Structure formats: structure tokens, C-alpha cells
Amino acid sequence: MVSSGFFLICMLHSVVALTCGAMMMFYRDEVFVFSHGKDHASKLLGSTPHDQLLIRTSDSFSGLLLFAVGFLLFMVAFVKEREFHGFFARGCVLLHVAMAIWRFYFERKVEDLGHDWLRMKMTNLSTKMWSGTLVSLGFGQGWM
């Protein structure tokens, strides 16, 4: 029997990852202005043409990777093995925790992102809460 909770969580993550990946690849400038403001976005986009090209290429590949992860999550949502559900859920929790640690230690050192410190803390807290929900839901439904 397949857990509907696992399917819904995978599909939700898939939609978010596909949307964010596509926006990172094709609407990068608009997303930066929306999330950081016009002044900080111009600093984050680079000052020389060479820097701008490197940053744009890096963001495009990051968006492509996120899009691929969304596609992978879409495929995983349809797997019917319960043992795989537990394995995959633990891996996702580890990935979320690693991302929160990286954001805490790395992004606070970037001067242009320093003004977002409070918002970054709230995002990390919500990520950890979501990971905790995933683990508790997994234990409650017997995935793990």
C-alpha cells in the first residue's frame, strides 16, 4: 500500500523545485530584484561584464539542477516500495539540514546579503520545521 502523505509531499516539493528552477534560469534578474531589492540586486549581479557572465552561468546551472531535482521528485512520488520511502525521506531530511547549515555559515559572510539575516533565520527555521514534520509524518505512517 502506498502512502498518500509521501506522494503529496513529493509532488509539493516537485512543483516548488520545478517552478524555482525555471525562474532561476529564465527570470533571474526579476527574482533578485523581488527578493533582495533593487540596490542589493544590482550588487549581486556583478560589476564587470565578465563577472556578470559568470554569475549568470552559475545561476542558470543552479536553476537547471533544481529543475532536475524537481523532475526526480516527480518520478519518486510514484514509487510504491515502502522501504524506499523511508530511505528517501531520511535523505531529504539530511539534505534540508545540510542546506540550512550551509546558509547559516556561508551566506551570513556575504556582505550584500547581510541585511537579510533575520529573513534568512526565519527561512532556516521553517526549513527545519518542515523537515521535522516530514520525519514525524514518516514515523507515524511507518515509512521509516
Side-chain angles (χ1 to χ4, degrees), residues 15-98:
V15 168
V16 169
L18 288 168
T19 304
C20 290
M23 288 180 70
M24 283 175 69
M25 287 188 293
F26 302 116
Y27 299 105
R28 179 183 69 97
D29 298 337
E30 292 84 358
V31 170
F32 275 0
V33 170
F34 178 74
S35 62
H36 297 290
K38 195 170 187 81
D39 296 333
H40 291 286
S42 64
K43 292 178 186 175
L44 291 173
L45 296 176
S47 57
T48 66
H50 184 261
D51 290 346
Q52 290 172 355
L53 180 63
L54 286 174
I55 292 170
R56 182 176 294 276
T57 304
S58 173
D59 287 341
S60 293
F61 279 127
S62 297
L64 183 63
L65 178 65
L66 193 57
F67 192 84
V69 166
F71 189 64
L72 176 73
L73 281 167
F74 179 77
M75 291 188 297
V76 164
F78 295 100
V79 172
K80 302 212 183 308
E81 293 181 26
R82 292 180 74 81
E83 295 83 25
F84 179 76
H85 291 181
F87 172 75
F88 192 77
R90 284 191 296 270
C92 287
V93 168
L94 239 96
L95 184 65
H96 279 88
V97 169

